[in-house]
């Protein structure tokens, strides 16, 4: 990779991935784009452009003008927000994806876009969910992610586009606020523990979901982008995760640092139903075998680092 363009660069993943790639490849070689402008390091420390990913012509112009060889397409509406506006979610998630794939085909670019554990549904095996299994999601977000996996497979097989992707679990980060995902309770809980020593969870006790600390997600993304294409068999939707936890497990980890932390519940039926439709724990053996996926943060290490940084003690 020499020149990369990132859509959704101001989002939870994009903001951290952009900075990491700029350190690795040079600030001028990573072009950040988003539909909005944020006066932050992502916009100021390297090339930045306002871009609506449903505008395929503008995307193509940027790729041509900067001689981009890799497109990292992150722009999307997440699970909870997508359910409140399903038509907008479909138009953004699928329209933006199609534009990205077409531009990648036209300009011979490598193309990365994430999928999610949201691509699974109630009929999917919940424990050790295989890499290839039944996918019948019951949310618009999940439907769009299954379609995106299939479209990326299609563009690779039909047009030889070098497409790649990961099924992200819930991602936990102290740098960016929650973005409308079902798993965001984990970020909110740690943040509220530091600030208020209490939190009211919208997800019920005993609801297990896969999670990962953002540094591991960024590392996995770069590892897949840099992997030898010949090693990639699944290619577009690798299962990755670092831990399967429920709210009580996270609360216990928090109490080892903040003993007076109290956890309450006010379960949101809508978000709870989404969480219950997803697997408890997915199998990551394909990612380990094909591009060396190895997460470094478990629940205890992640919680400690989150609390240190939110409390101003981190590096």
């Amino acid at each position: 990779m020499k020149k990369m363009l990132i859509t959704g660069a101001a989002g939870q993943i994009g903001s951290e991935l952009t900075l990491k790639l700029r350190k690795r490849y040079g600030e001028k070689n990573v072009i950040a784009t988003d539909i909005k402008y944020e006066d932050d390091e992502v916009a100021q420390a390297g090339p930045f452009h306002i871009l609506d990913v449903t505008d395929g012509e503008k995307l193509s112009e940027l790729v041509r003008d900067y001689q981009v060889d890799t497109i990292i397409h992150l722009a999307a509406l997440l699970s909870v927000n997508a359910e409140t506006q399903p038509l907008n979610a479909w138009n953004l998630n699928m329209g933006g994806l199609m534009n990205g794939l077409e531009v990648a085909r036209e300009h011979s670019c490598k193309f990365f876009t994430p999928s999610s554990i949201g691509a699974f549904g109630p009929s999917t095996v919940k424990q050790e969910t295989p890499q290839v299994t039944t996918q019948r999601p019951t949310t618009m977000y999940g439907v769009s992610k299954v379609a995106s996996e299939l479209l990326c497979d299609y563009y690779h097989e039909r047009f030889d586009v070098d497409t790649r992707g990961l099924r992200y679990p819930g991602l936990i980060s102290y740098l960016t606020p929650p973005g409308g995902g079902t798993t965001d309770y984990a970020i909110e809980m740690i943040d509220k523990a530091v600030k208020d020593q209490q939190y009211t969870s919208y997800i019920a006790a005993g609801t297990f979901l896969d999670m990962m600390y953002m540094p591991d997600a960024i590392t996995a993304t770069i590892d897949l982008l840099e992997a030898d294409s010949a090693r990639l068999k699944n290619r577009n939707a690798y299962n990755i995760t670092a831990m399967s936890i429920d709210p009580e497990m996270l609360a216990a980890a928090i109490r080892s640092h903040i003993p007076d932390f109290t956890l309450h519940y006010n379960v949101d039926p809508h978000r709870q139903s989404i969480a219950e439709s997803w697997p408890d724990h997915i199998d990551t053996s394909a990612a380990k075998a094909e591009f060396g996926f190895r997460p470094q943060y478990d629940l205890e290490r992640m919680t400690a680092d989150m609390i240190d940084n939110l409390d101003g003690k981190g590096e």
Side-chain angles (χ1 to χ4, degrees), residues 23-294:
K23 288 180 180 179
R24 195 175 184 91
Y25 287 92
E27 292 177 349
K28 295 181 180 179
N29 296 321
V30 181
I31 298 89
T33 73
D34 204 282
I35 198 169
K36 61 184 182 297
Y37 177 83
E38 299 285 350
D39 190 16
D40 58 14
E41 190 177 359
V42 169
Q44 294 178 349
F48 178 88
H49 291 268
I50 297 292
L51 174 67
D52 181 343
V53 293
T54 62
D55 184 350
E57 290 186 9
K58 177 68 178 294
L59 175 58
S60 184
E61 288 174 8
L62 289 171
V63 168
R64 183 194 64 224
D65 292 348
Y66 281 97
Q67 297 183 309
V68 167
D69 58 50
T70 302
I71 298 170
I72 301 169
H73 178 63
L74 304 176
L77 207 59
L78 300 184
S79 58
V80 175
N81 291 339
E83 285 303 284
T84 64
Q85 41 187 321
L87 182 59
N88 287 342
W90 179 263
N91 290 338
L92 172 61
N93 293 3
M94 299 314 303
L97 176 70
M98 283 299 298
N99 286 336
L101 285 167
E102 271 296 291
V103 171
R105 180 182 68 82
E106 292 168 0
H107 295 276
S108 300
C109 295
K110 181 184 295 184
F111 186 83
F112 173 93
T113 196
S115 187
S116 162
I117 57 171
F120 299 119
S123 57
T124 302
V125 176
K126 280 192 166 291
Q127 294 293 339
E128 295 301 314
T129 306
Q131 176 66 42
V132 179
T133 187
T134 302
Q135 292 179 255
R136 301 284 293 180
T138 53
T139 64
M140 177 54 77
Y141 178 68
V143 169
S144 70
K145 285 304 180 184
V146 173
S148 76
E149 292 180 11
L150 295 172
L151 279 168
C152 289
D153 283 344
Y154 174 79
Y155 268 76
H156 175 65
E157 295 296 329
R158 178 70 176 80
F159 302 115
D160 199 30
V161 177
D162 185 355
T163 54
R164 307 179 182 207
L166 302 168
R167 288 188 186 122
Y168 289 126
L171 298 180
I172 301 173
S173 169
Y174 61 88
L175 288 175
T176 51
T182 301
T183 57
D184 283 343
Y185 85 83
I187 304 173
E188 295 175 3
M189 188 189 299
I190 301 173
D191 183 58
K192 288 293 186 180
V194 171
K195 293 177 179 176
D196 305 327
Q197 296 191 358
Q198 62 178 328
Y199 176 67
T200 301
S201 175
Y202 55 79
I203 295 296
T207 306
F208 284 84
L209 290 166
D210 279 298
M211 299 280 185
M212 177 178 287
Y213 199 29
M214 186 62 78
D216 278 335
I218 298 301
T219 297
T221 302
I222 295 173
D223 286 348
L224 177 59
L225 282 165
E226 295 179 346
D228 181 355
S229 182
R231 293 183 60 192
L232 305 180
K233 298 176 182 178
N234 292 278
R235 184 168 287 276
N236 289 312
Y238 288 96
N239 287 352
I240 60 168
T241 187
M243 63 196 86
S244 175
I245 62 173
D246 82 323
E248 291 293 331
M249 289 178 65
L250 180 55
I254 290 171
R255 289 190 192 103
S256 66
H257 303 271
I258 306 173
D260 294 333
F261 173 69
T262 56
L263 176 61
H264 311 283
Y265 290 94
N266 183 17
V267 176
D268 176 356
H270 177 58
R271 285 184 281 192
Q272 181 66 26
S273 68
I274 294 175
E276 289 176 356
S277 74
W278 294 348
D280 290 355
H281 186 56
I282 57 178
D283 172 49
T284 62
S285 57
K288 291 176 180 177
E290 294 178 34
F291 66 94
F293 171 67
R294 292 290 187 280

Side-chain angles (χ1 to χ4, degrees), residues 174-175 305 308-309 312-315:
Y174 61 88
L175 288 175
D305 196 65
D308 280 350
N309 281 282
K313 299 175 183 176
E315 296 181 359

